[in-house]
Amino acid sequence: MRSDKQIEKKQRIKWLKRLSLILGLLLFLIFGIIAGYYANEVREFLTDLNEETPEELRDTSKQDDSLRDLHPISFLILGLDAEGEGDTRRSDSIMVATVNPGKESTKILSIPRDTLITLPNSNEQEKFNAIYPIDGMTGLIDFVEDYLTIPISFYVTLNFEGLVDLVDAVGGITVNSPLSFTVQDSDETADAIVIEEGIQDLNGEEALGYARMRKQDPRGDFGRQERQREVIEAVVDELLSFNSVTNLTPILNAIRPNLQTNMSGQQMMTVASNYRDAAKNIESVELSGAAEYVYFPSYGHDLYVWNPYEESLDEARSTLREHLELDPSSEENSADEINN
């Protein structure tokens, strides 16, 4: 009797082991199929992001050595507004990010779009956000490199209108609003979006309104820049969560038409895997300055502009150069330094 029970117990254990093995193989096959499907989808997605890059900016292979050796890199990040006449877009948000994997930190400088500058080719005065529609991405990168005396490794453009689909695809985001306000939605319905002061969950439409409102913020463009950075960081947090992995297809579909970069697919994967820790510590580099109204002959009237204090601009330049491990006091040949 006892022997029969032992035999039965051994058979049951043997059967459970076989069942576990079968289930394990099934799970392995299922995850393999899913991984293969997503790998192909991700590969196509990464290719699409590079599709509209200007020809002169396509070859970024000179950055491969820097990425492989984990050197600091820099990004020019543009938030683009709605298309205007002739399919031109002005840069609604202009940010420069330096990423240092050794220090495990990222620094972000926001350049106010109303910053007064002199166009290099015509010597005419303009606002910073006019460079992109006038000289394109190549001209903007060249100008930013000269303006901040740092090299730009890569660029990324984000259509803020695409935030609606992206935020909805990740299931919404959580923000901590410093003030209460109402703002129109993407259909221009007045006061359609209500933002309360404090911590709250936002859907796509609400996140877009939260990121773009400026007139009701006492800090003006600076307050909006902070909220835009907060939204971007919240979206990144959601994208890195497990729920986003299981909801990959709608996320990729939301990003695909709204994001553009000159990074290759392999470079994106390298940064995502090897520079990840640097994204956990994001610091803002502040610019101080003063606002005024300046007469623009090309427009025939005065326009609101913002001028950074020279001491503040120099300090920002030194901070970014030091973070990129360049000589903070040397501002010559900056475009070549990061590759050496």
Side-chain angles (χ1 to χ4, degrees):
M1 190 77 163
R2 189 175 180 181
S3 178
D4 291 340
K5 288 183 177 179
Q6 289 177 342
I7 293 173
E8 183 180 348
K9 184 178 180 181
K10 287 181 180 180
Q11 289 177 337
R12 187 166 60 251
I13 292 173
K14 187 176 182 181
W15 181 83
L16 287 172
K17 287 182 178 179
R18 285 182 179 177
L19 180 61
S20 299
L21 179 60
I22 293 171
L23 289 175
L25 289 172
L26 283 174
L27 287 172
F28 178 78
L29 289 173
I30 291 171
F31 281 120
I33 292 171
I34 293 174
Y37 171 75
Y38 280 141
N40 183 62
E41 195 167 350
V42 169
R43 195 179 301 111
E44 291 180 0
F45 165 75
L46 295 178
T47 301
D48 289 346
L49 294 186
N50 194 266
E51 204 170 58
E52 296 180 10
T53 297
E55 190 65 35
E56 63 272 18
L57 296 176
R58 279 183 176 271
D59 185 10
T60 57
S61 58
K62 61 184 180 181
Q63 304 294 349
D64 289 342
D65 289 343
S66 293
L67 295 179
R68 186 182 60 251
D69 296 335
L70 295 180
H71 289 167
I73 56 176
S74 60
F75 293 87
L76 173 62
I77 306 170
L78 297 185
L80 301 181
D81 61 10
E83 291 185 4
E85 296 180 5
D87 292 336
T88 59
R89 291 176 180 266
R90 288 210 170 200
S91 42
D92 194 53
S93 177
I94 308 162
M95 291 179 279
V96 173
T98 57
V99 187
N100 189 315
K103 296 181 178 180
E104 294 188 354
S105 66
T106 297
K107 294 186 183 295
I108 296 181
L109 168 69
S110 291
I111 303 174
R113 65 177 190 169
D114 294 316
T115 301
L116 183 65
I117 53 97
T118 301
L119 294 174
N121 298 326
S122 63
N123 290 323
E124 292 183 0
Q125 287 188 313
E126 256 295 358
K127 295 186 180 184
F128 217 106
N129 68 337
I131 303 173
Y132 179 65
I134 293 174
D135 291 329
M137 183 58 67
T138 304
L140 178 58
I141 290 176
D142 290 342
F143 190 91
V144 171
E145 287 184 334
D146 289 339
Y147 189 77
L148 296 178
T149 68
I150 63 169
I152 297 297
S153 309
F154 305 102
Y155 81 82
V156 178
T157 66
L158 173 66
N159 171 14
F160 273 112
E161 299 294 339
L163 273 179
V164 175
D165 294 335
L166 179 55
V167 171
D168 286 338
V170 299
I173 61 172
T174 301
V175 300
N176 187 5
S177 178
L179 71 165
S180 300
F181 60 89
T182 60
V183 66
Q184 67 183 25
D185 60 14
S186 57
D187 294 326
E188 299 186 0
T189 304
D191 300 326
I193 296 170
V194 178
I195 301 296
E196 302 291 345
E197 182 177 352
I199 298 174
Q200 62 209 282
D201 295 328
L202 304 181
N203 62 25
E205 279 284 349
E206 293 165 341
L208 177 62
Y210 181 73
R212 299 198 68 179
M213 189 279 291
R214 178 176 62 160
K215 293 183 179 180
Q216 301 174 59
D217 195 320
R219 298 192 63 198
D221 205 37
F222 292 97
R224 181 171 65 167
Q225 289 169 10
E226 288 187 0
R227 282 181 277 109
Q228 287 175 346
R229 284 198 298 267
E230 182 184 11
V231 168
I232 291 174
E233 290 177 23
V235 169
V236 171
D237 287 341
E238 293 296 334
L239 287 172
L240 295 176
S241 70
F242 177 76
N243 289 336
S244 292
V245 175
T246 61
N247 199 31
L248 189 60
T249 299
I251 290 174
L252 295 184
N253 290 338
I255 297 175
R256 197 187 308 262
N258 299 304
L259 193 68
Q260 187 66 43
T261 182
N262 62 338
M263 298 183 74
S264 69
Q266 183 58 51
Q267 288 171 337
M268 288 183 235
M269 298 299 288
T270 299
V271 170
S273 59
N274 296 339
Y275 287 69
R276 178 190 297 258
D277 290 340
K280 297 176 182 178
N281 181 19
I282 300 177
E283 305 169 12
S284 294
V285 179
E286 300 293 338
L287 271 180
S288 300
E292 61 177 322
Y293 281 86
V294 172
Y295 180 77
F296 283 74
S298 56
Y299 297 100
H301 55 84
D302 292 347
L303 291 177
Y304 171 89
V305 299
W306 185 85
N307 281 308
Y309 297 132
E310 196 60 37
E311 305 81 23
S312 179
L313 183 57
D314 286 341
E315 184 178 349
R317 289 167 175 162
S318 296
T319 298
L320 295 180
R321 290 180 62 81
E322 184 177 6
H323 198 236
L324 288 172
E325 298 181 3
L326 306 174
D327 183 354
S329 62
S330 173
E331 298 180 354
E332 298 179 359
N333 303 320
S334 62
D336 298 325
E337 287 175 301
I338 203 169
N339 301 315
N340 296 327

